[in-house]
Amino acid sequence: MGKPEQRKPFVAKVVVAIDFGTHGSGFAWATVQDLQDLSEHRRIAYQTFKEERGISYPKDLTSVLVDVHGDAKAFGYEADKLWQVENSRNNPNGYGYATRFKMALRADAPPADVPRFVGNLAEADDPSSVVPALIAAYLRHLYTTALKDIEATNYGGLGFSADDIRWCITVPAIWKDHEKQVMRDAAAAAGIPADEERLLLVGEPEAAAVYCALTPGTLLETNRPEGRLDVGTDGSRFMVVDCGGGTVDITSYQIRPEGVGDDRLAEIGIADGGRLGSAYINRHFVTEVLAKRFGAEELEKLLVSRPREIAALEDHWERSKVGLTSETGADGSPTFTLPCTLDVHGRLWEALSPPVKERLTELAYGEPYQIVITPDEIVDLHETVVGPILETIEEQRRIVIDNGPRTGVDQIVLVGGFSRSTYLRDRVAQRFGGKVKVVMPRDPASAVLGGAVHFAYDPAVIWGRRSKYTYGYECSMPFRKGIDPDDKHFHNELGEEMCSDRFSVVVERGAQVTVGETRNREMRVPSTEVRFELGLFATYSDDPQYTTEAGCERIGTVTADMSGSVGTRMDKRKLDIYYAFGGTEIAVETQDRQGGVRRKATIEFSELYGRRGRKGG
């Protein structure tokens, strides 16, 4: 058997994590040295982008301002400020502004989704087509800012360069392999070294799990004392609920299962979640509250004639929403007791019909130019996403309970910027506090970013992962008369009766795959093939038979070099395939058995992957 091609391993002197989020993005870093090898002694440097009410934020807004040529002019809070000025002047420079564009990465994002493209970007036939370029531009901004920060620090007199850094970028757990590949490609376009040793991708709840296993948190109970996850008991387990701006990602981990060393986590749930982030509350604010106030038909007209003013009103709601605090009602449920008042821009007010102005003024207690949202409406807006989040947590708990015994109490950890919402926290504590210990780290918004630094420092902290799908490849197998469809019957070059489109399973859905574990398969290859293409497939089915059956999707294509054995009879010509599913990304190596060289395969991931929905879709 040939060995993989060898090269000198990369040794990082600095690790940098980038948390690229729907609402906010930031970076943090740490030096790699003996004094920091113990995680509890590790010092992480966070970049502060904003301070408000005594709270520092390690994230900038995920927003980009572009000029008339589409080139990035400003990022984050600076871009937002410049756009507000341009918008107030009716955009004399023809700029474009994009925010929350991460959620438009997938081509199947619905038109009314949370991404916002205004100015010249809104005028494009397909605004989402510029998303990869916007991501690359934003990553380049964080990349250069991080390099300047590290070089300026000159830690301990050591001088670090870009060649000394390992990078790690966070991705939602619900992302498919195509979205991960887009992120890796965008990182490469931004100047970040994209090879697997220099750039790691880590799931957001996975990073949060690492952080929470190392950091004290606050118990979400009546008196809310300081608490810590149970990480000292063999077999203890916890669920991470990562509540961000666009997505909520949920999965579960177990501490130190049998045979695993200290500080090692094994994924025991199957990553779940969806588009349930806080930005969707804003979306419902527009589609429900404003539709109720203006009338559905008039709102549709205003979205076309006054898009910037509607966007400004949504922004006002966002700023107000962050400051809302829920209280516990008589039945123990969280509620809001005060209304929320929003100012309506003059140009928007003048565009409203007289009956709408009259209705708004009456609802605002006689005050024009205002919209008053009632406490009940505020609750309803939050419940549009909080209710589904609770159901997803319940479903994850059932999966975890089925995955074997635990030691100690079950635990739920809330992380992400949206977990700062008192309403969300109180609803989770109300629903699950009697069954599990509900904990939130002291700074939930930094959990993913800090955990990504720890992961970049020591990727072995994650011991194993659960496969979300049944993975396999397309091949031919001996034809089974009376079982296989006749239209799949053919004879190969050896005259054997074969069945095409068979699904050869490599890893089953829900199976735990150890990081670094390789699963080997072999195939016979036709004698004339020079570059052999192998289709990779995924499905929710536990026992797929054919790659053409409902729910099976081609996730990518592996191309193997078979030039070293062209002309060899098919029964003598073997391709060895080595699959690794335990990492954040799928890795495949191939080897022409006669050629003897084992090579890393190039995988072209399909953009359609994940479009058909769940099992049977």
Side-chain angles (χ1 to χ4, degrees):
M1 299 288 273
K3 296 182 178 179
E5 296 173 323
Q6 299 292 322
R7 63 176 179 175
K8 188 176 180 180
F10 169 71
V11 179
K13 297 179 182 178
V14 181
V15 293
V16 181
I18 294 177
D19 183 10
F20 180 75
T22 301
H23 180 266
S25 300
F27 68 87
W29 58 282
T31 58
V32 179
Q33 53 182 307
D34 292 344
L35 292 176
Q36 299 218 92
D37 284 347
L38 290 177
S39 56
E40 59 266 32
H41 296 160
R42 199 167 295 152
R43 292 197 301 171
I44 298 177
Y46 294 91
Q47 175 78 8
T48 297
F49 288 95
K50 182 182 180 182
E51 292 196 17
E52 190 174 273
R53 297 190 298 271
I55 301 174
S56 61
Y57 291 87
K59 290 186 178 184
D60 204 352
L61 282 179
T62 308
S63 57
V64 181
L65 184 74
V66 301
D67 61 21
V68 291
H69 305 293
D71 296 326
K73 182 176 178 63
F75 302 90
Y77 292 112
E78 180 188 358
D80 182 61
K81 272 186 198 175
L82 289 174
W83 173 248
Q84 296 302 327
V85 172
E86 285 293 306
N87 189 25
S88 67
R89 299 173 179 171
N90 206 26
N91 196 16
N93 292 301
Y95 289 157
Y97 179 75
T99 186
R100 305 192 300 247
F101 49 87
K102 174 183 174 182
M103 297 305 294
L105 182 59
R106 297 188 64 181
D108 66 340
D113 214 333
V114 298
R116 182 191 297 169
F117 303 94
V118 289
N120 66 40
L121 290 176
E123 298 166 4
D125 293 335
D126 180 16
S128 64
S129 64
V130 302
V131 169
L134 290 173
I135 293 175
Y138 200 95
L139 289 179
R140 187 180 304 113
H141 163 63
L142 292 178
Y143 172 67
T144 56
T145 305
L147 287 181
K148 289 178 183 177
D149 189 46
I150 292 169
E151 290 170 358
T153 302
N154 191 26
Y155 189 89
L158 296 173
F160 298 116
S161 70
D163 293 334
D164 298 323
I165 300 173
R166 174 186 291 135
W167 299 82
C168 180
I169 299 177
T170 65
V171 294
I174 63 172
W175 267 16
K176 310 301 188 294
D177 297 286
H178 171 72
E179 284 84 46
K180 295 176 185 177
Q181 187 61 51
V182 170
M183 183 60 71
R184 188 173 282 279
D185 292 342
I192 300 174
D195 64 89
E196 292 180 356
E197 288 187 323
R198 298 289 304 279
L199 174 61
L200 307 177
L201 300 184
V202 63
E204 290 164 1
E206 191 167 84
V210 174
Y211 179 86
C212 294
L214 304 172
T215 307
T218 300
L219 296 177
L220 299 188
E221 295 175 356
T222 304
N223 54 355
R224 298 187 180 179
E226 287 299 305
R228 192 181 181 99
L229 280 177
D230 178 9
V231 295
T233 305
D234 291 349
S236 62
R237 64 192 186 196
F238 63 96
M239 178 193 305
V240 174
V241 182
D242 179 18
C243 305
T247 60
V248 169
D249 290 322
I250 302 176
T251 191
S252 299
Y253 298 87
Q254 193 160 31
I255 306 291
R256 298 190 300 203
E258 185 178 354
V260 182
D262 290 349
D263 295 329
R264 296 298 186 262
L265 306 177
E267 186 181 30
I268 58 172
I270 298 176
D272 202 353
R275 299 179 179 213
L276 300 170
S278 61
Y280 284 89
I281 297 178
N282 301 354
R283 194 64 238 166
H284 287 291
F285 162 75
V286 174
T287 60
E288 294 178 17
V289 173
L290 295 188
K292 182 179 176 182
R293 295 295 193 278
F294 300 157
E297 290 186 7
E298 185 150 350
L299 175 61
E300 287 299 320
K301 294 177 183 178
L302 291 170
L303 287 169
V304 175
S305 64
R306 291 288 185 269
R308 289 177 297 200
E309 287 76 15
I310 295 292
L313 189 58
E314 184 183 345
D315 287 341
H316 191 177
W317 157 250
E318 163 65 21
R319 291 191 296 271
S320 300
K321 179 191 68 178
V322 171
L324 296 173
T325 301
S326 61
E327 299 179 11
T328 303
D331 63 350
S333 300
T335 187
F336 295 95
T337 58
L338 298 175
C340 177
T341 301
L342 307 177
D343 295 326
V344 180
H345 193 282
R347 287 200 297 264
L348 178 59
W349 183 266
E350 295 306 319
L352 300 175
S353 64
V356 172
K357 292 179 183 177
E358 183 178 345
R359 182 167 63 249
L360 293 181
T361 302
E362 181 181 352
L363 292 173
Y365 311 105
E367 294 291 335
Y369 296 94
Q370 288 186 350
I371 290 178
V372 176
I373 308 172
T374 68
D376 286 344
E377 287 178 314
I378 297 172
V379 169
D380 290 342
L381 283 173
H382 281 75
E383 278 299 315
T384 58
V385 297
V386 172
I389 289 172
L390 298 179
E391 294 307 313
T392 308
I393 293 174
E394 195 71 76
E395 183 177 343
Q396 179 77 192
R397 288 192 71 242
R398 286 193 290 269
I399 293 172
V400 171
I401 290 171
D402 290 342
N403 275 333
R406 60 172 170 78
T407 302
V409 297
D410 276 334
Q411 304 165 99
I412 293 177
V413 186
L414 293 179
V415 300
F418 186 26
S419 65
R420 283 176 167 163
S421 164
T422 58
Y423 186 86
L424 171 64
R425 283 155 33 191
D426 288 344
R427 284 284 277 127
V428 173
Q430 177 197 29
R431 177 82 168 261
F432 302 104
K435 307 171 187 176
V436 299
K437 183 167 71 172
V438 184
V439 183
M440 186 177 72
R442 290 174 181 169
D443 187 359
S446 299
V448 171
L449 183 55
V453 174
H454 288 298
F455 177 81
Y457 198 104
D458 180 17
V461 67
I462 302 296
W463 172 74
R465 296 177 173 90
R466 292 260 173 200
S467 179
K468 189 174 183 179
Y469 307 98
T470 295
Y471 287 101
Y473 59 96
E474 182 181 34
C475 67
S476 299
M477 295 183 184
F479 187 77
R480 301 171 297 183
K481 292 182 179 180
I483 299 177
D484 294 326
D486 290 338
D487 62 356
K488 297 186 183 297
H489 177 263
F490 74 100
H491 290 83
N492 65 16
E493 67 182 57
L494 300 175
E496 299 169 331
E497 292 187 273
M498 305 296 291
C499 176
S500 62
D501 301 325
R502 288 298 304 275
F503 193 121
S504 181
V505 174
V506 180
V507 62
E508 302 79 13
R509 169 174 162 81
Q512 190 169 76
V513 185
T514 304
V515 174
E517 175 186 348
T518 301
R519 301 194 175 193
N520 305 343
R521 298 292 187 271
E522 67 173 37
M523 287 185 67
R524 298 185 303 177
V525 178
S527 59
T528 57
E529 296 282 357
V530 179
R531 291 175 61 82
F532 182 69
E533 291 189 350
L534 180 70
L536 294 179
F537 283 78
T539 177
Y540 281 100
S541 173
D542 296 325
D543 186 27
Q545 295 297 306
Y546 309 99
T547 57
T548 54
E549 64 190 52
C552 290
E553 295 190 51
R554 189 186 189 103
I555 65 170
T557 302
V558 173
T559 302
D561 182 0
M562 298 295 292
S563 58
S565 59
V566 174
T568 303
R569 274 173 51 99
M570 185 176 183
D571 56 339
K572 305 284 188 185
R573 197 179 190 212
K574 300 290 179 66
L575 173 67
D576 292 307
I577 315 158
Y578 306 88
Y579 299 90
F581 293 95
T584 310
E585 301 166 88
I586 298 173
V588 180
E589 292 182 343
T590 62
Q591 177 188 317
D592 180 348
R593 193 172 293 181
Q594 285 195 7
V597 178
R598 182 168 156 185
R599 295 183 175 90
K600 182 180 182 297
T602 299
I603 306 176
E604 295 295 333
F605 287 108
S606 168
E607 186 178 356
L608 296 178
Y609 177 31
R611 302 298 160 80
R612 299 183 189 171
R614 291 186 175 273
K615 188 174 179 178

